[in-house]
Amino acid sequence: MGIAALSGCAALGTLQEKPVVQQEPTDPQAGATPVTPPTSQPQALPSGTRGKLEHLIQSQRAAELRTSYNGSYGASLLFDPEALTYYVALFQNKDFWKVVDTQDHTQAERLYKQFSEEARKLAEPDLRRIRLEADYAHAEKQLTQQSGELEILRSDLQAQREQESRINAQQAAARQEAEQLARQRDEARERLSQINNQIKALEAQRSALEKQRAR
């Protein structure tokens, strides 16, 4: 993150009051007096360590040495080369929370590590929430997919059972029809056998009569 991004941490700057035009009382005899601008007032310097750092960032005097992020929290180590001063800041959502200034490099590094660790701890609930939200969304997606697959399997199984039931009914009907045809065949064969026997008997009788006539 560069200084331009860190500048989002700082306030947009103190709003300067718009100069008010002052007009001298009108002299009816001398005519209108020319308008004179107000005397410019010196701009107030920022107060507090945080205000100083914001002013340095706005004026692009602060050099960013280190920055670490943990979720919406982070820590930065900046340096003012003109004043030889280090600024260590702890921020959330680009808003400075804690700011410490020091001219001791070792202390600045130690404070930066301390703020970085603090940012890590502060971010843990948010990071855990993000992970749980992702896990929940993934579980919901899998649930939807698995529910769809379950419905498809149920539908396929129901169709298979209905098909098996139709096939079983068709096979039962075919077996019954085959048994009936077998009985009808046997009955027809029996009648055919009887008719053949009758024919043989009549032929035998006719042969006997023809032999008697031949004598």
Side-chain angles (χ1 to χ4, degrees), residues 24-51:
E24 297 296 333
T26 303
D27 186 349
Q29 297 179 354
T33 305
V35 177
T36 58
T39 304
S40 60
Q41 300 293 332
Q43 184 178 2
L45 294 176
S47 60
T49 307
R50 173 179 172 178

PDB file of all heavy atoms in Angstrom, residues 24-51:
ATOM      1  N   GLU A  24     -16.445  48.730   3.847  1.00  0.00           N
ATOM      2  CA  GLU A  24     -16.469  49.887   4.747  1.00  0.00           C
ATOM      3  C   GLU A  24     -17.821  50.580   4.648  1.00  0.00           C
ATOM      4  O   GLU A  24     -18.519  50.492   3.637  1.00  0.00           O
ATOM      5  CB  GLU A  24     -15.364  50.875   4.352  1.00  0.00           C
ATOM      6  CG  GLU A  24     -13.964  50.306   4.476  1.00  0.00           C
ATOM      7  CD  GLU A  24     -13.616  49.980   5.906  1.00  0.00           C
ATOM      8  OE1 GLU A  24     -14.184  50.619   6.806  1.00  0.00           O
ATOM      9  OE2 GLU A  24     -12.782  49.095   6.127  1.00  0.00           O
ATOM     10  N   PRO A  25     -18.200  51.267   5.713  1.00  0.00           N
ATOM     11  CA  PRO A  25     -19.482  52.000   5.679  1.00  0.00           C
ATOM     12  C   PRO A  25     -19.493  52.973   4.516  1.00  0.00           C
ATOM     13  O   PRO A  25     -18.480  53.577   4.160  1.00  0.00           O
ATOM     14  CB  PRO A  25     -19.516  52.719   7.030  1.00  0.00           C
ATOM     15  CG  PRO A  25     -18.605  51.926   7.897  1.00  0.00           C
ATOM     16  CD  PRO A  25     -17.528  51.407   6.998  1.00  0.00           C
ATOM     17  N   THR A  26     -20.621  53.115   3.911  1.00  0.00           N
ATOM     18  CA  THR A  26     -20.759  53.986   2.742  1.00  0.00           C
ATOM     19  C   THR A  26     -20.831  55.452   3.165  1.00  0.00           C
ATOM     20  O   THR A  26     -21.597  55.813   4.060  1.00  0.00           O
ATOM     21  CB  THR A  26     -22.037  53.611   1.970  1.00  0.00           C
ATOM     22  OG1 THR A  26     -21.966  52.251   1.620  1.00  0.00           O
ATOM     23  CG2 THR A  26     -22.198  54.465   0.720  1.00  0.00           C
ATOM     24  N   ASP A  27     -19.995  56.228   2.532  1.00  0.00           N
ATOM     25  CA  ASP A  27     -20.030  57.682   2.779  1.00  0.00           C
ATOM     26  C   ASP A  27     -20.914  58.299   1.719  1.00  0.00           C
ATOM     27  O   ASP A  27     -20.572  58.295   0.525  1.00  0.00           O
ATOM     28  CB  ASP A  27     -18.619  58.255   2.676  1.00  0.00           C
ATOM     29  CG  ASP A  27     -18.582  59.724   3.062  1.00  0.00           C
ATOM     30  OD1 ASP A  27     -19.671  60.312   3.206  1.00  0.00           O
ATOM     31  OD2 ASP A  27     -17.465  60.241   3.194  1.00  0.00           O
ATOM     32  N   PRO A  28     -22.050  58.826   2.116  1.00  0.00           N
ATOM     33  CA  PRO A  28     -22.969  59.344   1.097  1.00  0.00           C
ATOM     34  C   PRO A  28     -22.394  60.492   0.307  1.00  0.00           C
ATOM     35  O   PRO A  28     -22.797  60.736  -0.822  1.00  0.00           O
ATOM     36  CB  PRO A  28     -24.177  59.780   1.914  1.00  0.00           C
ATOM     37  CG  PRO A  28     -23.686  59.949   3.309  1.00  0.00           C
ATOM     38  CD  PRO A  28     -22.554  59.005   3.462  1.00  0.00           C
ATOM     39  N   GLN A  29     -21.408  61.192   0.857  1.00  0.00           N
ATOM     40  CA  GLN A  29     -20.851  62.333   0.128  1.00  0.00           C
ATOM     41  C   GLN A  29     -19.700  61.903  -0.769  1.00  0.00           C
ATOM     42  O   GLN A  29     -19.534  62.392  -1.878  1.00  0.00           O
ATOM     43  CB  GLN A  29     -20.360  63.412   1.105  1.00  0.00           C
ATOM     44  CG  GLN A  29     -21.495  63.999   1.937  1.00  0.00           C
ATOM     45  CD  GLN A  29     -20.986  65.038   2.913  1.00  0.00           C
ATOM     46  OE1 GLN A  29     -19.757  65.219   3.031  1.00  0.00           O
ATOM     47  NE2 GLN A  29     -21.911  65.704   3.612  1.00  0.00           N
ATOM     48  N   ALA A  30     -18.894  60.975  -0.281  1.00  0.00           N
ATOM     49  CA  ALA A  30     -17.716  60.575  -1.049  1.00  0.00           C
ATOM     50  C   ALA A  30     -17.997  59.449  -2.013  1.00  0.00           C
ATOM     51  O   ALA A  30     -17.155  59.082  -2.808  1.00  0.00           O
ATOM     52  CB  ALA A  30     -16.579  60.191  -0.104  1.00  0.00           C
ATOM     53  N   GLY A  31     -19.174  58.830  -1.903  1.00  0.00           N
ATOM     54  CA  GLY A  31     -19.480  57.708  -2.775  1.00  0.00           C
ATOM     55  C   GLY A  31     -19.075  56.403  -2.125  1.00  0.00           C
ATOM     56  O   GLY A  31     -18.582  56.359  -0.995  1.00  0.00           O
ATOM     57  N   ALA A  32     -19.242  55.304  -2.838  1.00  0.00           N
ATOM     58  CA  ALA A  32     -18.944  53.978  -2.281  1.00  0.00           C
ATOM     59  C   ALA A  32     -17.454  53.812  -2.079  1.00  0.00           C
ATOM     60  O   ALA A  32     -16.653  54.174  -2.940  1.00  0.00           O
ATOM     61  CB  ALA A  32     -19.463  52.889  -3.222  1.00  0.00           C
ATOM     62  N   THR A  33     -17.090  53.279  -0.934  1.00  0.00           N
ATOM     63  CA  THR A  33     -15.683  53.013  -0.622  1.00  0.00           C
ATOM     64  C   THR A  33     -15.272  51.698  -1.243  1.00  0.00           C
ATOM     65  O   THR A  33     -16.019  50.729  -1.166  1.00  0.00           O
ATOM     66  CB  THR A  33     -15.474  52.961   0.900  1.00  0.00           C
ATOM     67  OG1 THR A  33     -15.959  54.183   1.453  1.00  0.00           O
ATOM     68  CG2 THR A  33     -14.012  52.754   1.245  1.00  0.00           C
ATOM     69  N   PRO A  34     -14.088  51.588  -1.855  1.00  0.00           N
ATOM     70  CA  PRO A  34     -13.660  50.315  -2.466  1.00  0.00           C
ATOM     71  C   PRO A  34     -13.648  49.186  -1.436  1.00  0.00           C
ATOM     72  O   PRO A  34     -13.323  49.384  -0.273  1.00  0.00           O
ATOM     73  CB  PRO A  34     -12.253  50.625  -2.983  1.00  0.00           C
ATOM     74  CG  PRO A  34     -12.237  52.104  -3.139  1.00  0.00           C
ATOM     75  CD  PRO A  34     -13.127  52.655  -2.061  1.00  0.00           C
ATOM     76  N   VAL A  35     -13.986  47.974  -1.907  1.00  0.00           N
ATOM     77  CA  VAL A  35     -14.006  46.787  -1.041  1.00  0.00           C
ATOM     78  C   VAL A  35     -12.582  46.385  -0.713  1.00  0.00           C
ATOM     79  O   VAL A  35     -11.728  46.328  -1.595  1.00  0.00           O
ATOM     80  CB  VAL A  35     -14.743  45.631  -1.737  1.00  0.00           C
ATOM     81  CG1 VAL A  35     -14.693  44.378  -0.873  1.00  0.00           C
ATOM     82  CG2 VAL A  35     -16.192  46.015  -2.007  1.00  0.00           C
ATOM     83  N   THR A  36     -12.324  46.084   0.556  1.00  0.00           N
ATOM     84  CA  THR A  36     -10.977  45.672   0.975  1.00  0.00           C
ATOM     85  C   THR A  36     -11.032  44.247   1.466  1.00  0.00           C
ATOM     86  O   THR A  36     -11.916  43.878   2.246  1.00  0.00           O
ATOM     87  CB  THR A  36     -10.459  46.571   2.107  1.00  0.00           C
ATOM     88  OG1 THR A  36     -11.368  46.514   3.193  1.00  0.00           O
ATOM     89  CG2 THR A  36     -10.356  48.020   1.629  1.00  0.00           C
ATOM     90  N   PRO A  37     -10.113  43.366   1.035  1.00  0.00           N
ATOM     91  CA  PRO A  37     -10.114  41.962   1.486  1.00  0.00           C
ATOM     92  C   PRO A  37      -9.691  41.879   2.933  1.00  0.00           C
ATOM     93  O   PRO A  37      -8.957  42.733   3.421  1.00  0.00           O
ATOM     94  CB  PRO A  37      -9.098  41.293   0.565  1.00  0.00           C
ATOM     95  CG  PRO A  37      -8.182  42.403   0.172  1.00  0.00           C
ATOM     96  CD  PRO A  37      -9.021  43.642   0.094  1.00  0.00           C
ATOM     97  N   PRO A  38     -10.147  40.832   3.648  1.00  0.00           N
ATOM     98  CA  PRO A  38      -9.761  40.667   5.041  1.00  0.00           C
ATOM     99  C   PRO A  38      -8.301  40.276   5.145  1.00  0.00           C
ATOM    100  O   PRO A  38      -7.699  39.742   4.210  1.00  0.00           O
ATOM    101  CB  PRO A  38     -10.675  39.539   5.530  1.00  0.00           C
ATOM    102  CG  PRO A  38     -10.960  38.741   4.309  1.00  0.00           C
ATOM    103  CD  PRO A  38     -11.027  39.752   3.172  1.00  0.00           C
ATOM    104  N   THR A  39      -7.745  40.521   6.275  1.00  0.00           N
ATOM    105  CA  THR A  39      -6.361  40.135   6.537  1.00  0.00           C
ATOM    106  C   THR A  39      -6.275  38.626   6.650  1.00  0.00           C
ATOM    107  O   THR A  39      -7.056  38.004   7.376  1.00  0.00           O
ATOM    108  CB  THR A  39      -5.855  40.773   7.834  1.00  0.00           C
ATOM    109  OG1 THR A  39      -6.028  42.194   7.725  1.00  0.00           O
ATOM    110  CG2 THR A  39      -4.391  40.440   8.077  1.00  0.00           C
ATOM    111  N   SER A  40      -5.375  37.980   5.899  1.00  0.00           N
ATOM    112  CA  SER A  40      -5.257  36.518   5.932  1.00  0.00           C
ATOM    113  C   SER A  40      -4.757  36.070   7.285  1.00  0.00           C
ATOM    114  O   SER A  40      -3.829  36.654   7.849  1.00  0.00           O
ATOM    115  CB  SER A  40      -4.292  36.060   4.840  1.00  0.00           C
ATOM    116  OG  SER A  40      -3.025  36.634   5.049  1.00  0.00           O
ATOM    117  N   GLN A  41      -5.428  35.009   7.804  1.00  0.00           N
ATOM    118  CA  GLN A  41      -5.064  34.452   9.097  1.00  0.00           C
ATOM    119  C   GLN A  41      -4.203  33.212   8.883  1.00  0.00           C
ATOM    120  O   GLN A  41      -4.473  32.402   7.985  1.00  0.00           O
ATOM    121  CB  GLN A  41      -6.330  34.077   9.902  1.00  0.00           C
ATOM    122  CG  GLN A  41      -7.259  35.265  10.183  1.00  0.00           C
ATOM    123  CD  GLN A  41      -6.605  36.264  11.118  1.00  0.00           C
ATOM    124  OE1 GLN A  41      -5.753  35.895  11.941  1.00  0.00           O
ATOM    125  NE2 GLN A  41      -6.990  37.539  10.994  1.00  0.00           N
ATOM    126  N   PRO A  42      -3.176  33.010   9.680  1.00  0.00           N
ATOM    127  CA  PRO A  42      -2.348  31.797   9.523  1.00  0.00           C
ATOM    128  C   PRO A  42      -3.147  30.545   9.836  1.00  0.00           C
ATOM    129  O   PRO A  42      -3.954  30.527  10.768  1.00  0.00           O
ATOM    130  CB  PRO A  42      -1.220  32.026  10.536  1.00  0.00           C
ATOM    131  CG  PRO A  42      -1.797  32.965  11.536  1.00  0.00           C
ATOM    132  CD  PRO A  42      -2.727  33.859  10.783  1.00  0.00           C
ATOM    133  N   GLN A  43      -2.951  29.478   9.020  1.00  0.00           N
ATOM    134  CA  GLN A  43      -3.667  28.216   9.225  1.00  0.00           C
ATOM    135  C   GLN A  43      -3.152  27.527  10.477  1.00  0.00           C
ATOM    136  O   GLN A  43      -1.946  27.438  10.703  1.00  0.00           O
ATOM    137  CB  GLN A  43      -3.501  27.304   8.011  1.00  0.00           C
ATOM    138  CG  GLN A  43      -4.284  26.009   8.104  1.00  0.00           C
ATOM    139  CD  GLN A  43      -4.104  25.176   6.858  1.00  0.00           C
ATOM    140  OE1 GLN A  43      -3.373  25.567   5.957  1.00  0.00           O
ATOM    141  NE2 GLN A  43      -4.762  24.037   6.817  1.00  0.00           N
ATOM    142  N   ALA A  44      -4.104  27.032  11.284  1.00  0.00           N
ATOM    143  CA  ALA A  44      -3.727  26.371  12.530  1.00  0.00           C
ATOM    144  C   ALA A  44      -3.018  25.055  12.226  1.00  0.00           C
ATOM    145  O   ALA A  44      -3.418  24.308  11.337  1.00  0.00           O
ATOM    146  CB  ALA A  44      -4.964  26.123  13.380  1.00  0.00           C
ATOM    147  N   LEU A  45      -1.967  24.801  12.952  1.00  0.00           N
ATOM    148  CA  LEU A  45      -1.232  23.551  12.780  1.00  0.00           C
ATOM    149  C   LEU A  45      -2.011  22.408  13.403  1.00  0.00           C
ATOM    150  O   LEU A  45      -2.739  22.591  14.378  1.00  0.00           O
ATOM    151  CB  LEU A  45       0.153  23.673  13.442  1.00  0.00           C
ATOM    152  CG  LEU A  45       1.110  24.672  12.793  1.00  0.00           C
ATOM    153  CD1 LEU A  45       2.384  24.742  13.606  1.00  0.00           C
ATOM    154  CD2 LEU A  45       1.392  24.310  11.347  1.00  0.00           C
ATOM    155  N   PRO A  46      -1.910  21.208  12.850  1.00  0.00           N
ATOM    156  CA  PRO A  46      -2.637  20.075  13.415  1.00  0.00           C
ATOM    157  C   PRO A  46      -2.161  19.780  14.827  1.00  0.00           C
ATOM    158  O   PRO A  46      -0.978  19.912  15.140  1.00  0.00           O
ATOM    159  CB  PRO A  46      -2.303  18.925  12.457  1.00  0.00           C
ATOM    160  CG  PRO A  46      -1.022  19.334  11.812  1.00  0.00           C
ATOM    161  CD  PRO A  46      -1.067  20.817  11.709  1.00  0.00           C
ATOM    162  N   SER A  47      -3.096  19.397  15.646  1.00  0.00           N
ATOM    163  CA  SER A  47      -2.767  19.078  17.030  1.00  0.00           C
ATOM    164  C   SER A  47      -2.801  17.582  17.231  1.00  0.00           C
ATOM    165  O   SER A  47      -3.583  16.874  16.607  1.00  0.00           O
ATOM    166  CB  SER A  47      -3.767  19.757  17.984  1.00  0.00           C
ATOM    167  OG  SER A  47      -5.082  19.299  17.718  1.00  0.00           O
ATOM    168  N   GLY A  48      -1.975  17.078  18.125  1.00  0.00           N
ATOM    169  CA  GLY A  48      -1.944  15.655  18.410  1.00  0.00           C
ATOM    170  C   GLY A  48      -1.091  14.884  17.423  1.00  0.00           C
ATOM    171  O   GLY A  48      -0.852  15.328  16.294  1.00  0.00           O
ATOM    172  N   THR A  49      -0.640  13.717  17.863  1.00  0.00           N
ATOM    173  CA  THR A  49       0.224  12.899  17.008  1.00  0.00           C
ATOM    174  C   THR A  49      -0.503  12.421  15.759  1.00  0.00           C
ATOM    175  O   THR A  49       0.056  12.415  14.658  1.00  0.00           O
ATOM    176  CB  THR A  49       0.735  11.687  17.811  1.00  0.00           C
ATOM    177  OG1 THR A  49       1.325  12.145  19.027  1.00  0.00           O
ATOM    178  CG2 THR A  49       1.762  10.909  17.019  1.00  0.00           C
ATOM    179  N   ARG A  50      -1.754  12.061  15.928  1.00  0.00           N
ATOM    180  CA  ARG A  50      -2.529  11.607  14.774  1.00  0.00           C
ATOM    181  C   ARG A  50      -2.683  12.735  13.759  1.00  0.00           C
ATOM    182  O   ARG A  50      -2.524  12.517  12.552  1.00  0.00           O
ATOM    183  CB  ARG A  50      -3.891  11.114  15.242  1.00  0.00           C
ATOM    184  CG  ARG A  50      -4.856  10.782  14.122  1.00  0.00           C
ATOM    185  CD  ARG A  50      -6.166  10.273  14.665  1.00  0.00           C
ATOM    186  NE  ARG A  50      -7.152  10.123  13.609  1.00  0.00           N
ATOM    187  CZ  ARG A  50      -8.383   9.652  13.792  1.00  0.00           C
ATOM    188  NH1 ARG A  50      -8.762   9.287  14.999  1.00  0.00           N
ATOM    189  NH2 ARG A  50      -9.222   9.551  12.790  1.00  0.00           N
ATOM    190  N   GLY A  51      -3.002  13.942  14.258  1.00  0.00           N
ATOM    191  CA  GLY A  51      -3.149  15.071  13.347  1.00  0.00           C
ATOM    192  C   GLY A  51      -1.860  15.400  12.632  1.00  0.00           C
ATOM    193  O   GLY A  51      -1.866  15.750  11.438  1.00  0.00           O
TER     194      GLY A  51
END
